[in-house]
Amino acid sequence: MRGLALNIMLAVVWALFSGEVSTRELAIGFLLGFALQLVFPDALGTRSYVSRSLGLLRFLGFFLRELTVANVQVALFALQSHPPLNPMVVAVPVRLRSDSAQTLLTAVITLMPGSVVLGFSPARDELYLHIVGTRNPREARESIWRVEAQLLNFLPAPIGPAAGPKEVTP
């Protein structure tokens, strides 16, 4: 939290020095404060904040791209007389262990058209979901692992044993 507090403080200082405390000046100050922390992360002790913030920005870009692709895919399925839906229920091993991280993962997956989270295994190490539009279970698992990998870039959640394409066979 040190980096965020410093960033907010720099935004307020910028707004005060500019002579106008407004949303625009606070936003400019926040961006300038982040740029300062990006240039001097070790000197300011904010390396973790900067890397997690950049991870969050990468995740948002990834999510918007995946959401757009999934929406176009489902729209194309709707226009076809016999779409290749290939509906399936798959179990996907997950590395995220905290409740908040798993909740975020399930929310992101469910927001994407063509996939619905059904639940977790009793040990909470596997995610069950219904998915359409993929050719095989391996492709479905790999798409979920891509989402999980993006979440791991910025979440401070503890992770479990490594799961990945090499450990699970379709």
Side-chain angles (χ1 to χ4, degrees), residues 107 113 115:
S115 58

Side-chain angles (χ1 to χ4, degrees), residues 67-116:
L67 184 64
T68 303
V69 168
N71 275 303
V72 168
Q73 182 184 25
V74 170
L76 291 174
F77 284 159
L79 296 174
Q80 295 176 5
S81 60
H82 298 291
L85 293 178
N86 298 330
M88 62 186 86
V89 174
V90 294
V92 181
V94 293
R95 294 179 285 173
L96 296 170
R97 290 292 182 255
S98 73
D99 289 341
S100 59
Q102 288 181 343
T103 301
L104 184 59
L105 175 66
T106 58
V108 167
I109 292 168
T110 303
L111 282 173
M112 293 183 191
S115 58
V116 176

Side-chain angles (χ1 to χ4, degrees), residues 21-90:
V21 180
S22 65
T23 305
R24 184 177 136 254
E25 291 301 323
L26 287 171
I28 291 171
F30 194 84
L31 291 175
L32 288 173
F34 186 76
L36 186 66
Q37 292 181 60
L38 189 61
V39 173
F40 303 109
D42 292 328
L44 297 172
T46 58
R47 181 169 294 284
S48 174
Y49 169 71
V50 169
S51 66
R52 288 176 55 196
S53 296
L54 293 174
L56 176 62
L57 291 174
R58 279 190 301 273
F59 171 74
L60 290 175
F62 167 81
F63 176 70
L64 290 174
R65 186 185 72 234
E66 291 294 314
L67 184 64
T68 303
V69 168
N71 275 303
V72 168
Q73 182 184 25
V74 170
L76 291 174
F77 284 159
L79 296 174
Q80 295 176 5
S81 60
H82 298 291
L85 293 178
N86 298 330
M88 62 186 86
V89 174
V90 294

